[in-house]
Amino acid sequence: MKQVQLLFKKTLSRIGQGSWYLDSAADSAQAIRAVQTGLDAGLTHIDTAEMYGDGMAETLLGEALLGRRDEAFLVSKVLPSNARYDTTIAACEQSLRRLQTDYLDSYLLHWRGQVPLEETVEAMEMLQQSGKIRSWGVSNFDVDDLIELHAITGDGKIACNQVLYHLEERTIEHELIDWCVAHDITVVAYSPFGHAQFPLESSAEGQLLRDIAQQYDASARQVALAFLCRSKNVVAIPKASTMRHVLDNAGALDLHLSQDDIARIAAAFPLQPHPGYLPMI
Ligand SMILES: NC(=O)c1ccc[n+]([C@@H]2O[C@H](COP(=O)([O-])OP(=O)(O)OC[C@H]3O[C@@H](n4cnc5c(N)ncnc54)[C@H](OP(=O)(O)O)[C@@H]3O)[C@@H](O)[C@H]2O)c1
């Protein structure tokens, strides 16, 4: 697995750090140290959103990144309820204040709401021109939404699409990943451990992950991340609030699975028929 890939001429780590519920950690000093440990270990892609803890996750990340802002590829998201032109700009400025920075590496529409896409795109372009964001993208956009958005923007504008992707939820493999490859859009896998439903060690699937992990002196979570990031334009953002977990996840940066291992994992967690919508949480 390559450690980094290009997104709008800036590199981001293939494995990053999520921050949903990071502000709920029992020990916030420990959560801050975990993020910093992740940065040290190369997990430089850091994901947050104004929604997380009502801004508290951004505030915590602002503390974690003090003096180290430029080491990170920092991403935040605007809620669809704030996606009008003026409110997108205001929401971005509030995120910047909480994050104690003057720019975001990418800013995403969290999911599609009622606001016409043209209006949000106009705000994103203005934020980009003013240097407050370096790129922009979307989240939870299915292929039909992307086609509509792409008809407005053309090529080279949409940096990424952040979508649900884990071993037991592989819907994006039907069509979305290929569509994004064709349009040079990075796919960001959120909830790569299923949020809180990673296969139990005692299950047959959990045992398979452990067996494969043992061959590489790796962990089952590292194997899962390596599997999810096997396509060249897919990166993943596991959330971890403890140093042990962060370091474990960083170990996936250097893990390359064989084609045989990939086939065994794909068979153990089979691609289900397309449900007819894009699953999200
Ligand atoms: N765009 C969207 O709509 C959307 C939706 C959901 C999530 N996201 C983003 O994606 C990120 C990740 O998703 P998620 O937070 O839902 O869940 P996740 O990353 O799938 O799982 C997080 C859970 O896994 C645990 N964990 C992490 N690394 C571990 C390891 N190496 N070994 C054992 N346990 C480990 C964490 O524990 P500890 O915290 O105790 O370390 C936490 O309980 C979010 O934080 C957020 O930034 C985006």
Side-chain angles (χ1 to χ4, degrees), residues 20 47 139-140 162 191 193 195 237 239 241 245 248-249:
W20 194 19
D47 178 74
S139 176
N140 297 300
Q162 193 178 114
S191 302
F193 298 144
H195 191 60
I237 45 166
K239 172 260 179 182
S241 51
H245 289 165
D248 187 28
N249 298 341

Side-chain angles (χ1 to χ4, degrees), residues 146-161:
L146 288 170
I147 290 171
E148 216 177 309
L149 180 63
H150 183 262
I152 298 166
T153 65
D155 278 337
K157 293 286 187 182
I158 310 161
C160 61
N161 185 21

Side-chain angles (χ1 to χ4, degrees), residues 17-36 46-48 52-53 56-62 64 195 238-242 246:
Q17 304 190 64
S19 67
W20 194 19
Y21 290 111
L22 194 68
D23 53 294
S24 309
D27 182 344
S28 58
Q30 182 189 278
I32 287 173
R33 280 197 302 277
V35 172
Q36 293 167 336
I46 297 183
D47 178 74
T48 190
Y52 301 160
M56 294 294 286
E58 290 181 326
T59 301
L60 190 142
L61 286 176
H195 191 60
K239 172 260 179 182
S241 51
T242 59
V246 164

Side-chain angles (χ1 to χ4, degrees), residues 72 76 87 104 108 117 124 129 131 154 163 177 197 215 260 267 270:
S76 191
T87 48
L104 294 172
L108 317 185
L117 291 175
M124 293 293 193
Q129 278 162 29
V163 286
I177 292 178
Q197 56 175 64
Q215 296 172 46
D260 182 52

Side-chain angles (χ1 to χ4, degrees), residues 5 23 44 81 87 102 130 138 163 170 207 217 236 241 254 266:
Q5 69 177 31
D23 53 294
T44 54
S81 52
T87 48
D102 52 10
S130 63
V138 290
V163 286
R170 297 173 52 197
Q207 184 62 50
D217 198 16
S241 51
D254 298 317

